[in-house]
Amino acid sequence: MNETKDEGLQGNEKIEQAVLALQHEPTQEQLAHTLTVLRRRMKAQGQLVAAVEPNLGGAPVQTADGARWWYAFTSFEQELKGAEAVQSTFLVEIEKLFDAALTVPEISGVILNPWDRTLQLDKNLIRIIKG
């Protein structure tokens, strides 16, 4: 396989695998495992592909309950699975994205991979990951 993945994204398939397992078995134990995988990637200076909407100063998406979220992807392949193209993206360290999300009162958290292998991380879960 031709490996063209950015170095900061290498290892994020572990996040995708953990989220998939959580979707199949939504237990507290599997959630704890998934958050641990995210913490390990964060501590290893792992990165995510963050979406940017130039006119909004970020990329909030609104859920059915009216909450606003940022969204990010574990890989460029995950980004491309969406029905609508994301206009602009940038690579960001997981920890820096989480730190920023915790400081913005207008958003509820970060949604990872909104099109597939989705994980909705509210600020409480982000704080748990950060430890």
Side-chain angles (χ1 to χ4, degrees):
M1 185 171 129
N2 185 11
E3 187 62 55
T4 58
K5 190 180 289 188
D6 187 279
E7 187 176 322
L9 300 176
Q10 291 177 7
N12 283 358
E13 62 279 353
K14 294 174 185 173
I15 297 170
E16 294 174 19
Q17 292 164 356
V19 171
L20 183 62
L22 179 62
Q23 290 173 337
H24 288 299
E25 186 184 339
T27 64
Q28 290 297 315
E29 293 80 15
Q30 191 59 49
L31 175 60
H33 170 73
T34 303
L35 298 180
T36 299
V37 170
L38 269 161
R39 179 182 295 127
R40 286 181 184 147
R41 286 295 303 135
M42 180 184 74
K43 295 293 184 190
Q45 280 76 49
Q47 296 180 324
L48 295 171
V49 180
V52 177
E53 295 297 333
N55 57 341
L56 300 173
V61 62
Q62 192 162 336
T63 51
D65 62 2
R68 295 174 62 83
W69 301 77
W70 284 346
Y71 55 104
F73 307 93
T74 52
S75 67
F76 290 107
E77 292 79 17
Q78 282 291 331
E79 174 198 345
L80 295 174
K81 290 183 179 186
E84 55 190 65
V86 176
Q87 289 184 353
S88 182
T89 60
F90 65 98
L91 290 176
V92 62
E93 286 184 24
I94 295 170
E95 187 164 23
K96 289 182 179 177
L97 178 66
F98 287 171
D99 287 344
L102 290 173
T103 64
V104 177
E106 297 82 19
I107 66 157
S108 297
V110 177
I111 297 176
L112 283 184
N113 299 333
W115 327 128
D116 178 48
R117 299 197 182 179
T118 303
L119 182 62
Q120 196 167 323
L121 298 167
D122 63 21
K123 290 183 179 183
N124 185 48
L125 291 177
I126 291 171
R127 286 184 193 99
I128 290 170
I129 293 167
K130 289 196 48 71

